[in-house]
Amino acid sequence: MTSKRDYYDVLGVQKGASQDEIKKAFRRLARQYHPDVNKEPGAEALFKEIGEAYEVLSDPDKRAMYDRFGHSGPTGGPGYDPFGGQDPFGSIFEAFFGGQAGGRGPQRGPQRGADLGYTLQLSFEEAVFGAEKEIEFRRLETCGSCRGSGAEPGTDPVRCPKCGGLGEVRTRAPIFNMVTVTTCDQCRGEGTINPIPCRECRGDGRVRQSRTISVKIPAGVDGSSKIRYTGEGEAGPRGGPNGNLYITLDVQPHAIFLREGNDILMELPLNVAQAALGTELEVPTIDGQEPLKVPAGTQTGVTFKLRGKGVPYLRGSGRGDQIVVARVVVPQRLTDQQRRLFQELEKSLDPEQIGGTPDEGFFGRLKSTLGL
């Protein structure tokens, strides 16, 4: 087992050295043995040893415990980690020199652009059969003049003088020995500034422009459907890839049809004579008129099914059905002749033939029909 060197020897200071002397020694040795500067074998291990020594000797409480117990005590015994599991290259070097070891500074490369959303209105028929529509929207696109750099053509970005190219500003608080890191307000975290911003995009690298694309709507979509167009969102900062465009469909209601999944529901009004005697009618469907035979004695709520006259399945083949719900309509105004005929009919009817249930309304009957 290799024994640890004395922390004072590691930093090359006397045991009674002041905090200022310890700090100066650390800064000198850290610069000399930092892995980004010193490529000699063992430099990285030595740098870590220097950081460990400074971590203990720069803290009055830890230093007092070390002076009393040495490496065998609470601050230096087996398993002791003065960095609390953190990388000393990131914590020590960053605090003193404004950067991170090993080049792990702020990421300022190209970034993905923002996603965009668009709401597209569709008629009931367009949602059923599909459609192709053109949409126009505005998005940020890479500036064609500066090609996303933000600099006037013929000029180059320069290192930010405020943060030195880090994109961050670090402020050390004297109390608790803490470092506050904030994004540089001069370069907005970029690390570089454009001495002459591009006149076209005013230094942003992107310009807002109109964009028109053709959108293919598949048959059978509904109001919960979304369509994604990859790469049709906004251009990313610093030449990054475009985001996506998400199209939300807003299907308008129909005057007589109601959609339930892949079925189309329709209410069919019948007068008393049609319901009692039966009839043959032409009923509207999404494809046009279709014949329907209504048997005698049809009651309100009776349903008829027109197979294959519903909505196409979005995934797979085939279509749903059209459900026709009968509703017997009682006339509110009668001519004298109609009144006499109904009176004669009333005398001839058996009172026990009168039955049925209260009218639930159209949507109530639809729910009953669908078992909801």
Side-chain angles (χ1 to χ4, degrees):
M1 178 177 169
T2 303
S3 59
K4 284 188 176 183
R5 287 202 297 159
D6 182 82
Y7 285 150
Y8 292 101
D9 291 341
V10 171
L11 295 182
V13 296
Q14 298 295 323
K15 190 172 182 179
S18 66
Q19 286 295 321
D20 188 56
E21 291 174 327
I22 291 174
K23 184 182 296 185
K24 287 180 179 179
F26 168 74
R27 290 173 65 94
R28 176 178 53 81
L29 293 171
R31 289 185 185 277
Q32 181 179 352
Y33 292 102
H34 188 269
D36 285 351
V37 178
N38 194 323
K39 303 299 182 181
E40 295 180 3
E44 184 172 329
L46 185 55
F47 178 80
K48 186 173 182 179
E49 185 182 36
I50 293 167
E52 181 180 323
Y54 177 75
E55 183 74 11
V56 172
L57 299 184
S58 64
D59 184 292
D61 293 334
K62 292 180 181 179
R63 182 180 180 181
M65 294 293 289
Y66 177 74
D67 288 344
R68 184 175 180 182
F69 298 102
H71 290 302
S72 61
T75 61
Y80 169 67
D81 182 2
F83 305 108
Q86 298 180 356
D87 182 2
F89 300 156
S91 58
I92 301 295
F93 193 79
E94 179 180 344
F96 274 92
F97 308 119
Q100 289 184 316
R104 297 189 298 271
Q107 298 298 317
R108 297 189 297 275
Q111 296 179 6
R112 181 179 178 274
D115 294 333
L116 294 178
Y118 186 96
T119 300
L120 177 61
Q121 282 195 350
L122 297 177
S123 67
F124 189 88
E125 291 83 359
E126 287 173 331
V128 171
F129 296 117
E132 190 164 341
K133 302 175 79 73
E134 281 195 347
I135 65 171
E136 183 179 358
F137 58 97
R138 292 179 64 80
R139 70 176 186 179
L140 287 173
E141 299 187 358
T142 301
C143 177
S145 178
C146 67
R147 299 183 179 181
S149 70
E152 182 68 16
T155 67
D156 295 315
V158 298
R159 179 180 294 183
C160 175
K162 184 171 184 177
C163 65
L166 293 173
E168 298 174 342
V169 177
R170 291 165 169 76
T171 305
R172 173 172 290 279
I175 303 176
F176 304 121
N177 203 30
M178 295 179 63
V179 175
T180 302
V181 181
T182 57
T183 300
C184 178
D185 58 358
Q186 186 167 344
C187 66
R188 294 178 297 180
E190 301 289 334
T192 60
I193 61 173
N194 295 313
I196 305 178
C198 173
R199 287 175 292 181
E200 185 71 22
C201 63
R202 298 182 180 180
D204 183 71
R206 299 175 297 171
V207 291
R208 191 167 296 279
Q209 295 180 346
S210 293
R211 169 81 170 164
T212 301
I213 64 172
S214 179
V215 178
K216 188 173 182 180
I217 310 297
V221 297
D222 58 23
S224 65
S225 302
K226 278 191 175 183
I227 300 176
R228 181 183 68 185
Y229 275 77
T230 303
E232 289 293 346
E234 294 192 333
R238 297 180 293 279
N242 285 48
N244 299 328
L245 173 66
Y246 292 89
I247 300 176
T248 301
L249 303 180
D250 179 17
V251 181
Q252 301 301 294
H254 196 276
I256 61 173
F257 298 132
L258 180 67
R259 180 172 174 176
E260 183 68 36
N262 286 89
D263 292 334
I264 295 177
L265 310 178
M266 190 203 80
E267 186 177 60
L268 177 63
L270 297 171
N271 63 40
V272 175
Q274 290 173 319
L277 303 175
T279 186
E280 290 188 9
L281 299 171
E282 292 281 329
V283 297
T285 72
I286 198 69
D287 297 304
Q289 297 291 322
E290 287 287 330
L292 177 68
K293 185 175 182 179
V294 179
T298 295
Q299 304 292 316
T300 291
V302 171
T303 62
F304 306 93
K305 182 179 292 186
L306 301 177
R307 296 192 179 276
K309 295 300 178 180
V311 180
Y313 291 101
L314 191 59
R315 296 176 180 83
S317 59
R319 295 172 59 176
D321 303 320
Q322 177 167 320
I323 310 298
V324 180
V325 184
R327 177 170 66 90
V328 180
V329 180
V330 178
Q332 295 180 335
R333 295 179 182 179
L334 299 173
T335 65
D336 291 341
Q337 182 184 9
Q338 289 170 337
R339 184 176 296 278
R340 286 194 300 270
L341 291 173
F342 270 109
Q343 287 172 345
E344 290 296 327
L345 178 63
E346 181 186 16
K347 293 176 183 178
S348 65
L349 291 175
D350 187 343
E352 293 183 0
Q353 288 182 277
I354 302 175
T357 56
D359 189 356
E360 302 174 295
F362 176 48
F363 292 105
R365 291 192 294 277
L366 293 181
K367 290 182 178 180
S368 299
T369 301
L370 297 171
L372 302 177

